[in-house]
Amino acid sequence: MRKGVDMELLERVVELSLEGYCCSQVMALLLLELLGEEDDGFVRAMGGLINGGGYSGGDCGCMSGGACLISYITGKGGENESELRGHVSALCHFTHWFAEEMKERYGGTDCGEILGGDQRRKMERCPEIMALSFEKCIEILSGKGLI
């Protein structure tokens, strides 16, 4: 069942997109804003997920970006850290949701399928996908008491 997008969030997504950030970078910036943090290295690294990962045309950067957002909160960081309990289930929950949602809406999860081979659909479809994906990550993390 489709859920509406928070309009304030959607406006922020469009604003960041117009500043030149790709989908996964937008999601990283939204998370950092929510946490009150700055991490330019994280944002730069997320740029590698653009257009299916390094312009490969693979799975949408919102799918891999969402997994990175969850892992930013739950994953192993330093040598004395461990991934948090619920890490794998949170990742699986998000990626399964994303795959089902995108297949239902657009027939697949890669950028070409989502855009139907027409790059002009990017501003029509991608901001909503970024907002929905970010909301889902936060819902999953909140539901597990991780954020």
Side-chain angles (χ1 to χ4, degrees):
M1 176 176 279
R2 291 188 184 181
K3 172 185 152 191
V5 178
D6 177 271
M7 290 310 292
E8 192 174 310
L9 175 60
L10 189 58
E11 287 172 11
R12 183 67 179 135
V13 164
V14 170
E15 180 182 326
L16 291 169
S17 297
L18 292 174
E19 289 177 16
Y21 293 105
C22 72
C23 57
S24 49
Q25 289 176 309
V26 167
M27 292 177 64
L29 287 163
L30 292 170
L31 178 65
L32 292 169
E33 287 175 3
L34 180 70
L35 299 174
E37 298 178 7
E38 291 184 19
D39 189 338
D40 293 344
F42 176 49
V43 175
R44 272 193 301 279
M46 293 290 276
L49 302 176
I50 191 169
N51 199 345
Y55 291 96
S56 69
D59 285 330
C60 172
C62 290
M63 183 165 150
S64 51
C68 289
L69 260 61
I70 289 169
S71 195
Y72 185 83
I73 300 295
T74 65
K76 178 177 172 55
E79 69 179 68
N80 295 323
E81 292 182 10
S82 298
E83 65 185 34
L84 297 179
R85 184 178 166 113
H87 172 72
V88 173
S89 66
L91 288 172
C92 290
H93 185 163
F94 175 74
T95 56
H96 288 122
W97 167 84
F98 188 90
E100 288 176 18
E101 189 73 19
M102 293 307 111
K103 285 177 184 169
E104 178 187 320
R105 289 179 182 228
Y106 307 114
T109 60
D110 70 50
C111 296
E113 290 167 325
I114 290 169
L115 298 177
D118 186 349
Q119 287 293 315
R120 294 173 296 185
R121 291 185 177 145
K122 198 172 215 165
M123 282 309 289
E124 170 193 329
R125 294 183 178 175
C126 294
E128 180 182 27
I129 294 169
M130 286 182 254
L132 287 171
S133 297
F134 179 75
E135 287 177 329
K136 189 64 176 183
C137 288
I138 299 309
E139 175 188 309
I140 291 167
L141 291 167
S142 295
K144 294 184 177 296
L146 299 172
I147 193 169

